[in-house]
Amino acid sequence: MKKGTLTILSGFSGAGKGTVMKAMLAKYEDRYALSVSATSRKPRAGEVDGREYFFKTKEEFEELIAGEKLIEYAKYVDNYYGTPAEYVEQQRNAGKDVLLEIEVQGALQVKEKYPEALLIFLTPPSVEELKKRLIGRGTEEMDVIEQRLSRAKEEAVYMDRYEYIVVNDTVDACVERIHRLIQSQHDLAYYRQDLIAGMREELNRLVG
């Protein structure tokens, strides 16, 4: 069985990352696995361990850090969040293409540990559209929206560290573009080592 690819999707708050990921999993559920993060925060009402997050105590999370069992992690408001390496590798070894939806700093951490990982940055067509989408949610006050735009300004500095920039104009078109980019990764030499080794062996036997 071929090993699955690893794709990290980042983007501005309001770019539609969650919506795009849900649409991809719904359309191609047999091909993709969305990585489940671990956290030291308490479960909220309706959240299930292993579905929304792997819920850990602070001590358990720090043991994961010490044992280098996370491919990236960060601390926000006294709680840890991170990506367990074991879960990612289990899915990839089962042939699933794994999707990680994480912020910029975490994405660059993963790229250092997994150079073969594909980095995709999702963005609306314009800053005007980004602000319109944030306001259109109707869930946040303007001061929070301004904070999110300030955060976007910081994240934009790292956009050229990503292999691909995908504009989320419509969800369906965006899903198809990302799907094609990920599937093209299967032809990278990294994922064709068995074929390469077989060709070399046969040529050595034939040519001598």
Side-chain angles (χ1 to χ4, degrees):
M1 180 181 292
K2 288 183 180 179
K3 187 171 184 175
T5 63
L6 177 60
T7 298
I8 299 103
L9 185 77
S10 303
F12 306 127
S13 176
K17 300 183 296 295
T19 302
V20 168
M21 289 295 94
K22 286 178 183 176
M24 281 197 67
L25 291 169
K27 187 169 184 178
Y28 299 107
E29 60 181 343
D30 59 327
R31 297 192 184 186
Y32 296 106
L34 183 63
S35 177
V36 179
S37 296
T39 182
S40 63
R41 77 161 171 78
K42 302 292 185 186
R44 294 172 184 153
E47 290 183 331
V48 177
D49 184 51
R51 187 180 68 189
E52 281 78 18
Y53 287 97
F54 293 114
F55 292 100
K56 307 290 182 182
T57 65
K58 182 181 178 183
E59 292 71 25
E60 287 173 335
F61 202 105
E62 288 175 345
E63 286 178 8
L64 292 175
I65 295 171
E68 297 185 349
K69 294 182 178 179
L70 299 168
I71 60 176
E72 60 84 28
Y73 73 92
K75 194 173 185 180
Y76 299 104
V77 196
D78 296 327
N79 288 312
Y80 288 111
Y81 295 84
T83 304
E86 182 180 8
Y87 180 81
V88 170
E89 284 307 306
Q90 282 177 348
Q91 297 298 319
R92 294 182 73 193
N93 289 334
K96 292 275 190 176
D97 291 326
V98 176
L99 305 171
L100 270 66
E101 182 196 326
I102 52 180
E103 47 76 42
V104 171
Q105 279 73 24
L108 298 179
Q109 284 183 42
V110 175
K111 187 67 173 178
E112 287 183 7
K113 294 184 179 180
Y114 295 84
E116 78 278 10
L118 175 65
L119 296 184
I120 297 176
F121 195 95
L122 192 66
T123 179
S126 67
V127 174
E128 182 181 348
E129 177 64 20
L130 175 62
K131 186 173 183 178
K132 180 181 174 182
R133 291 182 187 182
L134 287 170
I135 294 172
R137 286 174 170 178
T139 57
E140 296 168 337
E141 300 294 331
M142 278 305 299
D143 61 331
V144 176
I145 291 172
E146 292 300 330
Q147 290 173 18
R148 295 195 181 281
L149 290 171
S150 293
R151 175 64 177 162
K153 179 182 176 182
E154 296 171 2
E155 292 172 331
V157 173
Y158 299 95
M159 288 176 73
D160 58 3
R161 300 280 295 275
Y162 285 69
E163 276 96 6
Y164 293 99
I165 306 298
V166 174
V167 175
N168 182 15
D169 37 20
T170 68
V171 172
D172 288 344
C174 188
V175 164
E176 285 309 303
R177 281 199 293 274
I178 293 174
H179 174 64
R180 287 196 299 270
L181 288 173
I182 294 173
Q183 293 311 305
S184 71
Q185 299 301 294
H186 286 282
D187 291 323
L188 290 175
Y190 176 88
Y191 294 106
R192 306 306 300 268
Q193 292 302 309
D194 288 346
L195 174 65
I196 293 169
M199 294 292 285
R200 286 173 176 170
E201 184 179 338
E202 285 186 47
L203 285 166
N204 286 335
R205 190 167 55 244
L206 179 67
V207 180

